[in-house]
């Protein structure tokens, strides 16, 4: 069906919507059938005398309706409409539509496993829990059992950490752990430090606790030690928050030498470090965590959401010393009681039987493939990324602002977040975080990246000709 020539006059919608409308009409009339290959986007744009982005948005809208699917190197094919035919689920295993959730492509998530063997292995781990299910429905001791802490210690050892069990706690995610830790370290009105471009969750926590969050200037290696020292003298901060490996959103990793310099300043001024090591397990090799350099100063948080799955709300927290243990336990119990025993048992089993390693290998491989897709489309030096990060940090040019670019990308289903969400102090730069992970397939991501790259070639007015 490469000769398909839609009559957009049959729809009163804007042109990009009209393309999806006509695909749907032609499916109903039989002019298009499942398996038909639609014309390439640039070819159809010329045929209809419209902008490429109009056709790209039309195909994206058709994908949202379940009318078409795209495959890199092959093209866009008619699927026959959402809900038609078998979806490949075994009897009794199809997803319950009542559990369907809206996917937020602006969230920085790891790529989701799609390898059948890996998924089968993950299911085996879940099925094994049913052999001893009833005890997992009871209240458990806070921080995890001896078995869970053994698994946590084994996992943390990959980062060069070897804390005693009494300093390890399993919490229901990194975010509640951060909330508890900063609630212990600082009182309302007191100052804590972070990178000037930092994780939005830290900004929310500071606001919730009524703390003064001050941002430190950065270079390509992270916060500047001299600026940290000056802030210690001037502001007398109660803590320093860092996301030192594959930092969200800039993707930078603080090298070992800079970590040592930061730790030296923290030690001189007696400033505790809160190390959010959400992405620390992703690199095959990387600098040791700050908790290895300055264990007596550092609260280390090794979350599992970014290295196994966003829905696995668990984090391994290492307290700096035994004195900090009981206040932390009290703070966590007040807010969360305990981590879900079912989730905790699953994580422990996956670590012990190697499934967690298999998931981590998949995430690394898929993240690398997606970064290669970006590198093939965007000029070198026009964005910041790491070969294994789940996002890119994209400074804007050609007259694009973070507002206009974000709006334009969202219309095509591309997850972007403006720099305002990450900026602690001063004017936000004209930049956005573009997410590459989550449930989107490589094929659909390729189409989204093509759309983005085309838009970036010129000013916004060139990409906005949709009508």
């Amino acid at each position: 069906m490469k000769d398909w020539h839609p009559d957009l006059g049959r729809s009163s919608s804007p042109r990009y919507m009209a393309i999806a409308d006509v695909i749907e009409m032609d499916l109903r009339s039989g002019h298009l059938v499942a398996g038909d290959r639609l014309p390439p986007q640039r070819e159809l744009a010329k045929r209809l005398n419209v902008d490429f982005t109009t056709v790209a948005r039309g195909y994206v809208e058709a994908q949202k309706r379940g009318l078409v699917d795209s495959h890199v190197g092959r093209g866009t094919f008619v699927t026959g409409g959402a809900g038609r035919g078998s979806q490949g689920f075994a009897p009794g295993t199809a997803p319950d539509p009542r559990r369907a959730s809206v996917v937020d492509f602006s969230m920085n998530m790891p790529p989701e496993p799609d390898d059948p063997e890996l998924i089968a292995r993950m299911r085996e781990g879940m099925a094994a829990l049913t052999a001893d299910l009833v005890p997992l429905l009871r209240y458990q001791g806070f921080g995890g059992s001896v078995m869970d802490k053994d698994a946590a210690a084994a996992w943390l050892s990959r980062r060069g950490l070897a804390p005693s069990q009494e300093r390890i706690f399993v919490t229901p995610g990194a975010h509640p752990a951060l909330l508890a830790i900063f609630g212990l370290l600082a009182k309302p009105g007191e100052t804590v430090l972070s990178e000037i471009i930092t994780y939005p969750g830290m900004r929310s926590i500071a606001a919730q606790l009524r703390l003064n969050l001050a941002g430190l200037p950065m270079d390509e290696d992270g916060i500047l030690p001299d600026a940290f020292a000056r802030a210690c003298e001037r502001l007398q901060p109660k803590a320093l928050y860092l996301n030192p490996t594959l930092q969200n959103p800039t993707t930078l990793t603080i090298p070992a030498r800079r970590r040592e310099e930061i730790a030296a300043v923290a030690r001189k001024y007696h400033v505790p470090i809160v190390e959010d090591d959400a992405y620390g397990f992703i690199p095959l090799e990387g600098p040791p965590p700050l908790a290895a350099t300055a264990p007596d100063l550092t609260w280390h948080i090794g979350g599992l959401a970014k290295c196994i799955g966003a829905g696995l709300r668990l984090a391994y927290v290492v307290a700096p010393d035994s004195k900090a243990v009981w206040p932390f336990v009290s703070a966590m119990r007040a807010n969360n009681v305990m981590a879900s025993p079912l989730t905790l048992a699953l994580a422990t089993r996956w670590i012990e039987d190697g499934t967690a390693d298999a998931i981590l290998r998949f995430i690394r491989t898929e993240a690398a493939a997606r970064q290669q897709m970006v590198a093939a489309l965007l000029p070198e030096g026009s964005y910041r990324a790491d070969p294994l990060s789940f996002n890119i940090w994209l400074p804007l040019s050609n007259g694009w602002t973070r507002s206009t670019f974000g709006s334009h990308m969202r219309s095509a289903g591309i997850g972007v977040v403006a720099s305002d969400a990450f900026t602690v102090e001063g004017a936000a730069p004209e930049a956005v975080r573009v997410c590459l992970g989550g449930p989107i397939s490589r094929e659909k991501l390729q189409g989204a990246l093509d759309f983005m790259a085309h838009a970036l070639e010129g000013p916004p007015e060139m990409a906005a000709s949709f009508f």
Side-chain angles (χ1 to χ4, degrees), residues 109-197:
M109 298 183 288
E112 291 189 353
D114 59 3
D115 176 68
E117 291 185 9
L118 176 55
I119 293 173
R121 185 173 179 176
M122 294 164 67
R123 286 175 174 163
E124 287 173 5
M126 295 197 70
L129 299 184
T130 62
D132 199 24
L133 182 61
V134 173
L136 297 177
L137 302 180
R138 302 170 186 156
Y139 284 109
Q140 311 287 320
F142 178 80
S145 66
V146 171
M147 181 179 183
D148 298 322
K149 290 191 175 186
D150 282 342
W155 192 249
L156 291 167
S157 69
R158 300 155 195 244
R159 297 287 288 127
L161 299 176
S164 61
Q165 272 210 6
E166 67 176 7
R167 291 171 53 214
I168 300 175
F169 296 91
V170 188
T171 66
H175 201 90
L178 288 167
L179 187 64
I181 291 167
F182 279 101
L184 294 175
L185 296 179
K187 298 175 182 178
E190 293 182 329
T191 296
V192 296
L193 305 175
S194 73
E195 310 99 329
I196 197 165
I197 301 291

Side-chain angles (χ1 to χ4, degrees), residues 72-301:
V72 176
R74 294 173 53 204
T76 300
F77 295 83
V78 176
T79 63
R84 298 177 64 175
S86 171
Q87 300 298 308
F89 295 103
T93 65
D96 189 330
R98 293 172 297 174
R99 290 202 178 273
S101 60
V102 175
V103 176
D104 183 357
F105 286 107
S106 67
M107 294 293 286
N108 205 36
M109 298 183 288
E112 291 189 353
D114 59 3
D115 176 68
E117 291 185 9
L118 176 55
I119 293 173
R121 185 173 179 176
M122 294 164 67
R123 286 175 174 163
E124 287 173 5
M126 295 197 70
L129 299 184
T130 62
D132 199 24
L133 182 61
V134 173
L136 297 177
L137 302 180
R138 302 170 186 156
Y139 284 109
Q140 311 287 320
F142 178 80
S145 66
V146 171
M147 181 179 183
D148 298 322
K149 290 191 175 186
D150 282 342
W155 192 249
L156 291 167
S157 69
R158 300 155 195 244
R159 297 287 288 127
L161 299 176
S164 61
Q165 272 210 6
E166 67 176 7
R167 291 171 53 214
I168 300 175
F169 296 91
V170 188
T171 66
H175 201 90
L178 288 167
L179 187 64
I181 291 167
F182 279 101
L184 294 175
L185 296 179
K187 298 175 182 178
E190 293 182 329
T191 296
V192 296
L193 305 175
S194 73
E195 310 99 329
I196 197 165
I197 301 291
T198 196
Y199 166 54
M202 184 58 225
R203 297 182 62 201
S204 299
I205 288 169
Q208 178 72 24
L209 297 175
R210 292 181 292 162
L211 305 178
N212 174 35
L213 184 63
L216 295 173
M218 307 161 66
D219 63 12
E220 62 182 11
D221 287 338
I223 64 167
L224 302 174
D226 289 346
F228 178 25
R230 289 193 297 272
C232 289
E233 294 176 353
R234 181 169 53 90
L235 301 174
Q236 298 182 335
K238 297 300 180 180
L240 168 67
Y241 168 84
L242 289 176
N243 177 203
T245 302
L246 301 183
Q247 194 240 16
N248 179 9
T250 66
T251 77
L252 71 80
T253 293
I254 301 176
R257 177 64 178 169
R258 178 65 61 86
R259 295 181 188 221
E260 292 170 359
E261 294 170 347
I262 292 169
V265 174
R267 189 174 301 284
K268 177 179 178 181
Y269 291 97
H270 309 287
V271 176
I273 299 170
V274 181
E275 180 177 33
D276 185 359
D277 204 35
Y279 306 90
F281 293 95
I282 302 300
L284 285 168
E285 295 182 5
L290 287 154
T293 302
D296 57 320
L297 289 175
T298 305
W299 288 87
H300 180 86
I301 305 171

